[in-house]
Amino acid sequence: MQAFKKVDMESWPRREHYRYYTEALKVEFNMTAPVDVQNLLRFCHAHGCKFYAAAIYCVTKALNRIENFRMFKNADGELCVWDKIVPNFTFFHPDDCTFSDCWTDFSEDFPTFYNAITADMQTYKDVKGIKTKPNQPANFYCVSCTPWTAFTGCRVADGQPAYFPIVVMGRYEKCGGKVNMPVNITIAHAVADGYHAGLFFRYLQEELDFLR
């Protein structure tokens, strides 16, 4: 069962920004930055782990450290915060060049999460169509990877800004003494600013460097 709490608008420091970006200017923003995945690659090679699954763990853990990326509106239009968000990830079908998405519950314990997400990847890898695993929970965010290009920008546009984060990872490349991977995050400006995006990239780098 997903747990959440309501945001106290009277005491929330961003209340004026929230009202402005929900009433006057309904926009989203996105930011792309490189992260060094050298340690994650070493970890995956040493332990026989799939890079994509391990990267999703790091992204999810970083996002869950920031309250602004766990916000949503309830049925009454009130701003709330999930206790945690879970990844809704995409995988590619090479036979027809389409993709599908799937979700996995999140645990901060790496082996628990890794075993769960790789089991889902195996179970649903041949299921075609947008949605594969049923009963997607409301407390999800979107994460995907485009390993064909090391992009420098990425924009996801829609008629209504998404409160849930949308994260896209690109192809990693050697750059000096690092192995950089571009990561893009998109979010409604109503719930987050550039500060929170910067915090996400800082936390993501910490999580990528932490696995041993």
Side-chain angles (χ1 to χ4, degrees), residues 91-100 125-126 128 148:
F91 50 85
F92 186 66
H93 302 294
D95 59 332
D96 62 7
C97 298
T98 63
F99 75 92
S100 300
K125 65 183 177 66
D126 296 322
K128 299 296 180 67
W148 310 279

Side-chain angles (χ1 to χ4, degrees), residues 162-173:
Y163 280 39
F164 57 85
I166 301 170
V167 176
V168 182
M169 300 177 282
R171 185 181 68 199
Y172 54 77
E173 296 180 324

Side-chain angles (χ1 to χ4, degrees), residues 74-116:
N74 65 13
D76 297 320
E78 299 167 311
L79 189 66
C80 303
V81 182
W82 294 114
D83 284 358
K84 72 172 182 178
I85 54 175
V86 303
N88 187 70
F89 58 93
T90 63
F91 50 85
F92 186 66
H93 302 294
D95 59 332
D96 62 7
C97 298
T98 63
F99 75 92
S100 300
D101 68 36
C102 183
W103 66 274
T104 297
D105 195 17
F106 183 67
S107 169
E108 289 200 3
D109 179 67
F110 178 78
T112 299
F113 174 73
Y114 181 82
N115 290 336

